[in-house]
Amino acid sequence: MAKHQHRICYETFAVGILGLLLFTIGIGDQEFIGFETRFGIFAREMLAFGPSVFPTTYGEPYPDYPSTSTLLIWLLAQFSGQVTKLSTVVPTAFAAAVNLAITYRLLRYVSVQWALLAVCFELGTVTFLTHARSISIDQMLATVTVACFFLVYRNDFQRDNSPWWRPMPGIFILLTFGFSLRGPMGIVLPSGVLCSYYLMSSSWCTKPRWQPLITFGFLASLLLCLSCIALYYLARREGGDAFADEVLQAEFAGRLQNESHSTAGYYFINSIGNYALSFLPAMVVMALIAPRLLRREWDEPLRMAALMAAWTLILLLGLSIPQTQKSRYLLPVVPAIAALASFPFITRNHKPLAMVRIATHALFFILPALCLVLLFYAIRYADKHNIALPEHLSLLMIVLAACQFTSVNRSLDKKNAARGDRWIVSLGVIALWSTNLWLREPLLTQLHSARPFVKRAEQLRREQPAPMVFYRLGKDNAALRYRVNADIIGFYPHFIDAPEPLKQLATPYYLMVCDRDIAAIQNTSIKLPLPAITGFFDGDVCSVYFVQRI
């Protein structure tokens, strides 16, 4: 028995290490783009000025997040003395790898086949894979959620009459950590999943589990209230009453306001694409097992599937209540939908589920070929529009062709269907991961690149020092992309939204403006010199002018 447990521990550890490698290979010193730039600035200011309760931009506290995730990046940056893309991604990559390991260990209680395939489905879930190789506090929250679920399930699985409250200290530590990462969502989402667990597990327990449900719900609500009070108190100490009100707006009222004009069915509709290849099969499986759940005699796989279905539904419905809805908020549901999507592969005596398995198997079988078609289309499109192609495309082509050839070869082996399923799904995941690494990420970086433009602008400023003025560039968007690539602590540009204030600024200065906004200046009496620099900046054509007089 001890030898068997050691083997499972080694397998779990191997899954985590493999995940960490998959989520960090090829990142190196990639450029910060999009949402990542914000955390790059947070970490660099913390490295320069020291830790704080809230991250800072322009030397001022930022209200949207507590600084826990930034502190993790700051700790890693201590080893190298600088903040790079790799040092900022490692905490998220580690959390995602732990997520994979816990998912494997959880489903290993039921079936080795299910555990392996669920891990593959997680890796094949598009949003999970892309966020695991980026900076994502929602990915960390997903790990907190699956860890809480695992602690409760393991306590029940031991069947040694352990009291239900035994794992509670560990769970409340995880919930507190979740709050420090994501604010109220860090407690609400994992607690909702655990409440669904207690509610669903009452269906097969000899006694209803109302006591743990009510007690845990009350204690989680109390922890949420105390954490919110502490957050407000710390916000007041950090930035005063005005900043504390901004924190309340960002963490509470801001979540309930409709910023994205999303509908009530946003997560049910958009997740078909954002959370492919797991979401749609998971929804079909939930619909197919619903009649079986009405029976009282459930085997262990069906019990786990029921818990995964409850997990999925509570998050889908709960996250649909706030009007601010974003795809990344749903990351804590990935372990559950991956388990549901792979459930048909361990159920052979149910015809509708067998049809789902055949369809999913076919999708993974042709996935390398689909990635090859996407690669050829990208090459043709790049040639037509004079876009520089990423490196390693020849290697990607070889990998995809090898995956497809091996899939065909393995599909001909009918002796061991379970092993064949593992091969086909794994090869499909390798094809998807390789395409993301060697095609999607380089093209996305090229599309949103700002580093070459910023380096040229900063070279000018070193040769002829003068302040920088941003015209109609968002302080929380484009300006952060400039700052993270300039890598200058204490860089505080001027922000101008109208032409007239330009006349009041002391010359000389550098004026950065997007070409789409230059007409607003040219239609006034202001005469600008010829641009010193023109180039692409985060997908826009921008210019920098050295203004010596107006």
Side-chain angles (χ1 to χ4, degrees):
M1 184 66 180
K3 186 177 180 180
H4 178 68
Q5 290 298 324
H6 287 152
R7 179 183 176 183
I8 294 177
C9 290
Y10 291 144
E11 292 172 357
T12 304
F13 182 75
V15 169
I17 292 297
L18 177 62
L20 185 60
L21 291 174
L22 292 176
F23 300 146
T24 54
I25 287 176
I27 291 178
D29 192 31
Q30 281 184 6
E31 183 177 340
F32 290 98
I33 60 172
F35 188 70
E36 302 165 347
T37 58
R38 186 179 300 176
F39 286 89
I41 292 295
F42 291 163
R44 284 178 178 167
E45 292 208 358
M46 184 173 287
L47 190 63
F49 305 124
S52 56
V53 177
F54 290 87
T56 61
T57 57
Y58 308 102
E60 300 176 354
Y62 195 85
D64 280 18
Y65 321 99
S67 65
T68 304
S69 58
T70 308
L71 279 169
L72 297 175
I73 300 171
W74 173 77
L75 288 172
L76 284 172
Q78 298 299 312
F79 294 100
S80 61
Q82 61 179 344
V83 176
T84 64
K85 176 72 173 288
L86 180 60
S87 65
T88 57
V89 168
V90 164
T92 302
F94 180 79
V98 172
N99 190 331
L100 291 179
I102 295 176
T103 301
Y104 176 85
R105 186 66 185 88
L106 176 66
L107 296 177
R108 186 68 170 75
Y109 282 120
V110 182
S111 164
V112 178
Q113 176 81 347
W114 197 3
L116 288 170
L117 290 176
V119 167
C120 289
F121 270 86
E122 274 201 90
L123 289 170
T125 303
V126 175
T127 300
F128 178 86
L129 177 60
T130 56
H131 279 69
R133 292 179 56 84
S134 181
I135 305 165
S136 174
I137 52 179
D138 296 286
Q139 188 73 269
M140 298 180 190
L141 180 56
T143 303
V144 170
T145 303
V146 71
C148 290
F149 185 95
F150 173 75
L151 290 177
V152 174
Y153 184 84
R154 184 184 64 175
N155 186 66
D156 286 355
F157 185 83
Q158 291 173 350
R159 296 189 176 91
D160 58 356
N161 295 321
S162 300
W164 67 268
W165 45 261
R166 174 179 285 182
M168 286 300 121
I171 287 173
F172 281 103
I173 291 173
L174 286 170
L175 292 179
T176 304
F177 179 65
F179 185 91
S180 71
L181 288 169
R182 205 66 179 90
M185 288 177 64
I187 292 179
V188 173
L189 298 188
S191 297
V193 170
L194 293 190
C195 286
S196 73
Y197 174 91
Y198 287 122
L199 186 62
M200 183 60 66
S201 61
S202 297
S203 302
W204 61 76
C205 291
T206 54
K207 296 181 180 180
R209 309 194 71 183
W210 299 116
Q211 180 185 357
L213 175 64
I214 295 173
T215 305
F216 171 75
F218 171 76
L219 292 176
S221 301
L222 180 61
L223 177 63
L224 178 62
C225 293
L226 294 176
S227 299
C228 291
I229 293 171
L231 182 68
Y232 184 78
Y233 171 75
L234 291 173
R236 286 189 64 186
R237 288 197 60 183
E238 190 87 0
D241 291 340
F243 177 70
D245 292 339
E246 289 182 28
V247 171
L248 290 180
Q249 173 67 23
E251 296 291 352
F252 298 96
R255 306 283 184 208
L256 300 176
Q257 295 171 355
N258 193 347
E259 298 176 352
S260 55
H261 305 288
S262 302
T263 62
Y266 171 84
Y267 290 113
F268 291 90
I269 298 171
N270 289 47
S271 297
I272 295 175
N274 293 332
Y275 286 85
L277 305 159
S278 294
F279 186 81
L280 188 57
M283 294 300 101
V284 175
V285 169
M286 286 174 59
L288 292 176
I289 67 172
R292 297 178 62 187
L293 299 181
L294 298 177
R295 306 172 188 172
R296 280 292 179 181
E297 296 181 359
W298 297 0
D299 56 14
E300 198 64 36
L302 187 59
R303 289 182 182 181
M304 181 64 80
L307 293 172
M308 297 295 111
W311 177 342
T312 302
L313 282 177
I314 196 70
L315 291 187
L316 284 172
L317 296 175
L319 286 170
S320 297
I321 295 173
Q323 294 183 343
T324 300
Q325 299 169 355
K326 297 180 181 179
S327 176
R328 65 177 185 270
Y329 291 172
L330 199 59
L331 276 168
V333 86
V334 171
I337 61 174
L340 287 169
S342 54
F343 180 66
F345 288 86
I346 65 166
T347 307
R348 301 283 178 174
N349 56 353
H350 190 279
K351 288 185 178 180
L353 288 177
M355 294 176 64
V356 176
R357 183 187 69 82
I358 292 171
T360 310
H361 185 280
L363 177 59
F364 277 94
F365 176 76
I366 65 171
L367 191 55
L370 293 177
C371 291
L372 270 173
V373 171
L374 177 63
L375 173 59
F376 289 133
Y377 174 79
I379 293 173
R380 183 177 178 182
Y381 183 88
D383 289 340
K384 185 177 179 180
H385 294 83
N386 297 319
I387 299 174
L389 289 169
E391 300 177 359
H392 309 302
L393 288 190
S394 298
L395 178 59
L396 175 59
M397 196 176 302
I398 293 171
V399 170
L400 294 178
C403 287
Q404 190 60 70
F405 175 79
T406 309
S407 292
V408 172
N409 185 44
R410 287 295 172 179
S411 67
L412 299 176
D413 183 11
K414 304 297 183 181
K415 295 181 181 179
N416 192 327
R419 184 172 61 188
D421 289 339
R422 293 197 297 269
W423 270 101
I424 298 299
V425 174
S426 298
L427 290 166
V429 169
I430 292 172
L432 183 67
W433 177 84
S434 302
T435 304
N436 177 72
L437 175 66
W438 288 318
L439 183 62
R440 176 192 166 273
E441 287 184 0
L443 288 178
L444 196 64
T445 300
Q446 186 180 149
L447 178 63
H448 295 283
S449 177
R451 181 184 289 173
F453 182 92
V454 173
K455 295 301 181 185
R456 291 167 62 197
E458 287 304 305
Q459 180 63 32
L460 277 180
R461 294 183 67 223
R462 282 191 294 270
E463 294 171 357
Q464 291 182 290
M468 177 67 77
V469 178
F470 289 150
Y471 180 78
R472 292 186 180 176
L473 293 177
K475 186 176 182 180
D476 196 31
N477 296 304
L480 290 184
R481 293 177 178 87
Y482 188 100
R483 289 190 67 209
V484 79
N485 286 290
D487 194 13
I488 301 174
I489 301 300
F491 174 69
Y492 302 111
H494 299 282
F495 294 92
I496 301 296
D497 293 323
E500 291 304 317
L502 291 173
K503 299 178 182 179
Q504 302 170 10
L505 294 176
T507 56
Y509 59 81
Y510 289 93
L511 174 65
M512 180 174 168
V513 57
C514 290
D515 283 10
R516 65 172 182 270
D517 296 322
I518 195 64
I521 299 177
Q522 292 175 340
N523 291 335
T524 67
S525 60
I526 298 174
K527 302 300 181 182
L528 294 178
L530 293 175
I533 293 176
T534 298
F536 284 98
F537 177 85
D538 193 24
D540 293 318
V541 178
C542 293
S543 299
V544 173
Y545 299 85
F546 185 52
V547 181
Q548 295 179 298
R549 64 178 183 273
I550 292 292

Coordinates of all heavy atoms in Angstrom, one line a residue, residues 200 203-204 292-300 302-303 306:
M200 N -24.2 18.5 -3.1 CA -24.3 17.4 -4.0 C -24.0 16.1 -3.3 O -24.6 15.0 -3.5 CB -23.4 17.6 -5.2 CG -23.5 16.4 -6.2 SD -25.1 16.2 -7.0 CE -25.3 17.8 -7.8
S203 N -26.5 13.6 -1.6 CA -27.3 12.7 -2.4 C -27.0 11.3 -2.1 O -27.8 10.4 -2.3 CB -27.2 13.0 -3.9 OG -27.6 14.3 -4.1
W204 N -25.7 11.0 -1.7 CA -25.3 9.6 -1.5 C -24.9 9.3 -0.1 O -24.5 8.2 0.3 CB -24.2 9.2 -2.5 CG -22.9 10.0 -2.4 CD1 -22.0 9.9 -1.4 CD2 -22.5 11.0 -3.3 NE1 -20.9 10.7 -1.6 CE2 -21.2 11.4 -2.8 CE3 -23.0 11.5 -4.4 CZ2 -20.5 12.4 -3.4 CZ3 -22.3 12.5 -5.1 CH2 -21.0 12.9 -4.6
R292 N -29.2 10.1 -15.2 CA -28.6 9.1 -14.4 C -28.5 9.5 -12.9 O -28.4 8.7 -12.0 CB -27.2 8.7 -14.9 CG -27.3 8.0 -16.3 CD -25.9 7.7 -16.8 NE -25.2 6.7 -16.0 CZ -24.0 6.4 -16.1 NH1 -23.2 6.9 -17.1 NH2 -23.4 5.5 -15.3
L293 N -28.4 10.8 -12.7 CA -28.2 11.4 -11.4 C -29.4 11.3 -10.5 O -29.4 11.4 -9.3 CB -27.7 12.8 -11.4 CG -26.4 13.1 -12.1 CD1 -26.1 14.6 -12.1 CD2 -25.3 12.3 -11.5
L294 N -30.6 11.0 -11.2 CA -31.8 10.8 -10.5 C -31.9 9.5 -9.7 O -32.7 9.3 -8.8 CB -33.0 11.0 -11.4 CG -33.2 12.3 -12.1 CD1 -34.3 12.3 -13.1 CD2 -33.4 13.4 -11.1
R295 N -31.0 8.6 -10.1 CA -31.0 7.3 -9.5 C -30.1 7.4 -8.2 O -29.3 8.3 -8.0 CB -30.3 6.2 -10.3 CG -31.0 6.1 -11.7 CD -30.1 5.2 -12.6 NE -30.6 5.2 -14.0 CZ -30.0 4.6 -15.0 NH1 -28.9 4.0 -14.8 NH2 -30.5 4.6 -16.2
R296 N -30.4 6.5 -7.2 CA -29.7 6.6 -5.9 C -28.4 5.8 -6.0 O -27.5 6.1 -5.2 CB -30.6 6.0 -4.8 CG -31.7 7.0 -4.4 CD -31.0 8.1 -3.6 NE -32.0 9.1 -3.1 CZ -31.6 10.2 -2.5 NH1 -30.3 10.4 -2.2 NH2 -32.5 11.1 -2.1
E297 N -28.3 4.8 -6.9 CA -27.1 4.0 -6.9 C -26.1 4.6 -7.9 O -26.2 4.4 -9.1 CB -27.4 2.6 -7.3 CG -28.3 1.9 -6.2 CD -28.6 0.4 -6.6 OE1 -28.2 0.0 -7.7 OE2 -29.3 -0.2 -5.9
W298 N -25.1 5.3 -7.3 CA -24.1 5.9 -8.1 C -22.8 5.2 -7.9 O -22.4 5.0 -6.7 CB -23.9 7.4 -7.8 CG -25.1 8.3 -8.0 CD1 -26.3 7.9 -8.5 CD2 -25.2 9.7 -7.8 NE1 -27.2 8.9 -8.6 CE2 -26.5 10.1 -8.1 CE3 -24.3 10.6 -7.3 CZ2 -27.0 11.4 -8.0 CZ3 -24.8 11.9 -7.2 CH2 -26.1 12.3 -7.6
D299 N -22.0 4.9 -9.0 CA -20.7 4.4 -8.8 C -19.7 5.6 -8.6 O -20.1 6.7 -8.7 CB -20.3 3.5 -9.9 CG -20.4 4.2 -11.3 OD1 -20.5 5.5 -11.3 OD2 -20.3 3.6 -12.3
E300 N -18.5 5.3 -8.3 CA -17.5 6.3 -7.9 C -17.3 7.3 -9.1 O -17.2 8.5 -8.9 CB -16.2 5.7 -7.5 CG -15.3 6.7 -6.7 CD -15.9 7.1 -5.4 OE1 -16.6 6.3 -4.7 OE2 -15.7 8.3 -5.1
L302 N -19.4 8.2 -11.5 CA -20.5 9.0 -11.6 C -20.6 10.1 -10.5 O -21.1 11.2 -10.7 CB -21.8 8.2 -11.7 CG -23.1 8.9 -12.0 CD1 -23.0 9.6 -13.4 CD2 -24.3 8.0 -12.0
R303 N -20.2 9.7 -9.3 CA -20.2 10.6 -8.2 C -19.3 11.8 -8.5 O -19.6 12.9 -8.3 CB -19.8 9.9 -6.9 CG -20.8 9.0 -6.3 CD -20.3 8.3 -5.0 NE -21.2 7.4 -4.5 CZ -21.0 6.7 -3.3 NH1 -19.9 6.9 -2.6 NH2 -21.9 5.8 -2.9
A306 N -20.7 14.0 -11.0 CA -21.8 14.8 -10.5 C -21.2 16.0 -9.7 O -21.7 17.2 -9.8 CB -22.7 14.0 -9.5

